[in-house]
Amino acid sequence: MSKKEPLETSQEALEASKEFAENFAKIAAQSQEVVTEFLNSQQPTHIDPDPATVSKTFMDLMNKMMADPGKIIEAQAALWKNYMDLWQNAALRATGQEAKPLVSPETGDKRFKSDEWSQNQIFDYIKQSYLMTASWIQETVADVDGLDKQTKKKAEFYTKLYTDAMSPTNFFWSNPDVLKKTVESKGENLVHGLENMLDDLKRTKGQLIPKMTDETAFEVGRNIAVTPGKVIFQNDLMQLLQYAPATKEVYKRPLLITPPWINKFYILDLKAENSFIKWCTEQGYTVFVISWVNPDERHVDKTFESYMSEGVLAALDAIEASTGEREVTTIGYCIGGTLMASTMAYLAAIGEEDRIKATTFFAAQLDFEEAGDLLVFTDEDHIQMVESKMKRGYLEGKEMANTFNLLRSNDLIWSFVINNYLLGKSPFPFDLLYWNTDATNMPQKMHSFYLRNMYQKNLLQKPGALTLGGQPIDLSRIKTPIFIQASKEDHIAPFKSVFKNTKMFSGPTELMLAGSGHIAGVINHPAANKYQHWTNTKKKKYDTAEDWFADATEHAGSWWPYWDKWLSKKSGPKVPARDPAKGKLKPIEDAPGSYVKVKAKPYSENDGGGSK
């Protein structure tokens, strides 16, 4: 038997070589098909003139850097010293001596979690060399003097995008997981990867955007957004959903939730086990939610003011008509919170502030001076570029989706490049990513107003600087009790920015800081036992978010029960539960309604956009 082992080994090697050869022949053929598909799809309509104003930004950066050559030499010397230290460490380790890493990935950086990045000397050297260089580039750019605030922010952001793109994890020969998979599968992963790439090119009409999830695994109203309820009102801009009660008695004052229209409302109702809406009904609230329309050519004249009058104000009137209740409590999430605050200021101006007895803001900004990385996309050059894309009267959903993906490129772009193209895997069915890719369009007039007046000019926080419904808006006239939720790692509505909300109103405010980011910081069901939150009950005025946090108390788990205690005291006595099918307004259809099911077509045959 032992005499046959070399023959068997030889035969296995031959078979393996044959499989490799066959797979790499497929790779060659598919590579040609990928290139052909890409070239054929590159029509002039796909080409934007420097869409991110990157060239101008880096031209300004280089001019400022060259004005101080001594600083450049000093920075280069520091980098050379770092390389020498790294080489010395590598030499020590090669001789079997212990050498602690000179640089390590930041907490939360998932790119280098494979053991090979630490245990294999070659890959450990590649990793440290990359991290060292990336950090040096980013610090050098951040240290350039003479740039205006906006150009500096853009330069730092684009530099981070570049260094993230150059990560060794993104390339075949420098990713140990990919190399291992290639050997194990005899190159089959690359065959599947090219198939995935070709499918993406065809799906996106030549724009290489990797698929994030298996979109066939989910359907709104079937296995997500399934909390029972009815659509009791609708107009051109929204449907108003009333959810079925889950308790025999409910609080007298209904709860109206105004979600952002940049994404769809069902982030609050993904699955039963993490649905905020379902949980609220279980706490005894009569829950109403605005489901915004996915705009198309019919909505080109809709403005920010339209979202107030046809959105929040229309919802308040419909709730009163259906339940007889004029007084409500409200929630505004993200831009929905910006709209809610604007609406409350309008109601205060016309003497009807008492319609809203308590308001909660989820990750909502009212002062945009420190509005995070999105400020990169709100200077005049970029806004004009965005406006040039709204030829149909609206911004296509794919544009906003691409912008938000850039804010977290490692998680929302490069991780899928590695998974789909290099490892050749199919994207995992994930409800959150399905929601993330369910894009919405933006009416031109509304979107330009929002970018210019909120982000660029920061007018909402200035008394009387904005006029809505013929009324100058002044947030300081709002006396309604306010609960403010912020998230510690939110890159869209940073804690520092949201903290400023505590200083804008005349009434009592309570701030609560949640762990995690813009989504997970909000959607954190108590049963999950995840993350933490911070509260501060000291009766003090704080100048900065850092001062508030220094005095705050940390609590394990979800903040929802804490908020429930706050809201329940402001929701009135208990009354018999309200059946949405038996209200004074005749139900139109079952929740989640039809508006939320309208998908923005991310790529059309002719010009890359459209809506159905």
Side-chain angles (χ1 to χ4, degrees):
M1 190 73 178
S2 60
K3 294 181 179 179
K4 294 182 181 180
E5 288 180 358
L7 293 176
E8 292 175 353
T9 303
S10 177
Q11 183 65 28
E12 289 173 0
L14 185 62
E15 290 294 330
S17 298
K18 183 180 178 182
E19 286 187 52
F20 261 113
E22 290 175 350
N23 284 328
F24 275 91
K26 292 178 184 178
I27 290 170
Q30 287 178 333
S31 296
Q32 184 175 357
E33 189 176 356
V34 166
V35 172
T36 302
E37 175 65 29
F38 176 77
L39 293 176
N40 289 341
S41 62
Q42 299 308 299
Q43 303 299 325
T45 53
H46 287 285
I47 301 172
D48 293 316
D50 195 12
T53 65
V54 178
S55 299
K56 183 177 183 298
T57 299
F58 280 103
M59 184 66 71
D60 292 343
L61 174 69
M62 290 304 299
N63 288 337
K64 297 300 182 183
M65 290 183 70
M66 296 306 293
D68 190 354
K71 202 169 188 178
I72 297 176
I73 295 172
E74 183 180 331
Q76 289 175 333
L79 179 63
W80 181 250
K81 181 183 182 302
N82 289 340
Y83 282 148
M84 293 297 293
D85 291 341
L86 181 59
W87 291 335
Q88 184 176 6
N89 257 28
L92 287 174
R93 189 171 178 184
T95 61
Q97 301 182 57
E98 183 179 353
K100 293 183 179 180
L102 297 177
V103 60
S104 300
E106 293 182 0
T107 303
D109 189 343
K110 303 173 184 177
R111 294 174 295 176
F112 303 98
K113 61 182 180 181
S114 170
D115 291 340
E116 288 292 320
W117 288 110
S118 301
Q119 297 174 4
N120 185 292
Q121 294 184 32
I122 295 175
F123 288 114
D124 181 53
Y125 179 86
I126 292 172
K127 174 191 70 177
Q128 291 195 61
S129 178
Y130 162 74
L131 292 173
M132 191 175 285
T133 305
S135 177
W136 176 84
I137 292 173
Q138 292 166 24
E139 290 173 2
T140 300
V141 169
D143 199 36
V144 173
D145 296 323
L147 291 173
D148 63 83
K149 185 177 180 180
Q150 179 67 9
T151 301
K152 187 176 184 67
K153 183 180 290 289
K154 290 167 68 175
E156 292 176 0
F157 179 79
Y158 296 143
T159 300
K160 179 69 162 55
L161 283 181
Y162 170 76
T163 56
D164 286 347
M166 292 297 105
S167 171
T169 53
N170 300 335
F171 299 94
F172 172 81
W173 292 110
S174 54
N175 187 321
D177 294 328
V178 175
L179 292 173
K180 181 180 179 182
K181 184 70 173 179
T182 303
V183 172
E184 290 176 348
S185 70
K186 303 176 182 62
E188 191 173 345
N189 59 306
L190 300 180
V191 174
H192 292 318
L194 282 169
E195 290 173 352
N196 291 338
M197 183 180 291
L198 184 59
D199 287 343
D200 287 338
L201 281 171
K202 291 177 179 178
R203 174 179 59 87
T204 62
K205 309 304 176 186
Q207 301 183 54
L208 190 57
I209 301 174
K211 186 182 292 185
M212 292 185 178
T213 187
D214 178 5
E215 296 179 8
T216 64
F218 303 100
E219 182 182 348
V220 174
R222 179 177 64 85
N223 56 359
I224 50 177
V226 294
T227 301
K230 301 289 184 181
V231 176
I232 64 157
F233 173 83
Q234 70 181 38
N235 57 29
D236 288 343
L237 204 52
M238 64 91 170
Q239 288 188 319
L240 183 64
L241 281 60
Q242 179 182 350
Y243 286 91
T247 56
K248 292 183 178 180
E249 291 187 319
V250 294
Y251 293 105
K252 189 173 188 294
R253 290 171 181 159
L255 171 62
L256 170 64
I257 302 176
T258 303
W261 52 88
I262 291 175
N263 295 103
K264 295 184 178 179
F265 83 88
Y266 65 88
I267 185 62
L268 299 167
D269 189 32
L270 281 176
K271 295 179 295 189
E273 54 264 36
N274 64 2
S275 171
F276 177 76
I277 290 172
K278 181 176 183 293
W279 184 84
C280 283
T281 65
E282 293 168 346
Q283 311 316 306
Y285 296 100
T286 303
V287 180
F288 291 82
V289 174
I290 291 175
S291 174
W292 300 107
V293 75
N294 203 338
D296 56 27
E297 290 89 346
R298 299 168 297 172
H299 306 93
V300 296
D301 292 324
K302 298 301 182 183
T303 64
F304 189 86
E305 188 174 309
S306 301
Y307 277 75
M308 179 183 78
S309 60
E310 299 176 48
V312 180
L313 295 180
L316 293 176
D317 290 342
I319 291 171
E320 184 176 5
S322 180
T323 67
E325 296 295 337
R326 181 172 176 80
E327 296 180 351
V328 304
T329 63
T330 62
I331 294 174
Y333 190 171
C334 190
I335 188 176
T338 307
L339 175 66
M340 181 60 67
S342 303
T343 304
M344 292 171 68
Y346 167 79
L347 291 173
I350 64 173
E352 296 187 12
E353 183 186 3
D354 63 339
R355 296 188 72 177
I356 298 176
K357 306 304 289 187
T359 291
T360 301
F361 293 119
F362 291 171
Q365 297 179 98
L366 308 178
D367 184 322
F368 290 79
E369 182 182 6
E370 297 182 82
D373 288 339
L374 275 176
L375 284 172
V376 169
F377 303 100
T378 58
D379 65 344
E380 188 58 30
D381 289 340
H382 193 88
I383 291 178
Q384 287 185 14
M385 183 273 295
V386 170
E387 289 175 337
S388 72
K389 292 185 175 184
M390 295 191 280
K391 295 176 182 178
R392 291 182 174 182
Y394 60 89
L395 184 69
E396 296 166 9
K398 69 182 180 70
E399 300 293 344
M400 286 300 300
N402 291 344
T403 296
F404 280 100
N405 290 345
L406 285 176
L407 298 179
R408 293 175 56 198
S409 63
N410 282 329
D411 292 333
L412 296 179
I413 297 176
W414 296 114
S415 65
F416 296 101
V417 168
I418 297 167
N419 181 81
N420 300 6
Y421 302 157
L422 298 182
L423 294 175
K425 297 180 181 179
S426 297
F428 185 76
F430 188 15
D431 55 356
L432 178 60
L433 288 176
Y434 175 85
W435 167 84
N436 188 63
T437 57
D438 194 0
T440 54
N441 300 325
M442 300 288 128
Q444 179 178 7
K445 292 181 180 179
M446 180 283 301
H447 198 54
S448 292
F449 177 93
Y450 178 61
L451 290 179
R452 290 185 185 280
N453 291 288
M454 306 302 180
Y455 274 94
Q456 190 183 83
K457 300 177 183 177
N458 197 19
L459 296 183
L460 182 58
Q461 51 87 32
K462 299 177 182 177
L466 283 181
T467 297
L468 295 175
Q471 300 293 329
I473 298 303
D474 184 353
L475 298 180
S476 67
R477 295 187 62 179
I478 298 173
K479 299 178 183 178
T480 306
I482 304 289
F483 186 99
I484 300 166
Q485 180 273 341
S487 295
K488 195 170 187 289
E489 299 169 19
D490 195 331
H491 61 290
I492 295 173
F495 175 39
K496 283 185 179 181
S497 183
V498 174
F499 170 80
K500 294 184 176 183
N501 297 355
T502 62
K503 303 179 180 182
M504 295 187 184
F505 308 106
S506 297
T509 61
E510 178 160 352
L511 174 66
M512 187 284 309
L513 179 66
S516 197
H518 194 69
I519 301 300
V522 174
I523 311 304
N524 183 19
H525 196 288
N529 293 316
K530 292 176 65 177
Y531 308 124
Q532 72 278 87
H533 62 281
W534 291 264
T535 60
N536 185 338
T537 57
K538 295 181 174 65
K539 304 298 182 182
K540 292 173 60 176
K541 296 284 187 180
Y542 293 95
D543 292 329
T544 66
E546 291 82 1
D547 291 341
W548 181 93
F549 186 73
D551 275 352
T553 302
E554 182 176 348
H555 312 273
S558 173
W559 56 271
W560 292 5
Y562 181 83
W563 167 79
D564 175 42
K565 290 179 182 178
W566 179 88
L567 185 63
S568 62
K569 296 174 183 177
K570 297 166 176 61
S571 297
K574 291 291 185 70
V575 298
R578 305 176 177 104
D579 184 345
K582 298 177 180 179
K584 295 180 181 179
L585 294 181
K586 183 180 179 180
I588 299 170
E589 59 182 322
D590 289 336
S594 54
Y595 282 20
V596 73
K597 296 179 182 179
V598 177
K599 290 184 175 293
K601 291 182 180 179
Y603 312 96
S604 73
E605 294 296 332
N606 297 319
D607 60 2
S611 179
K612 70 176 182 180

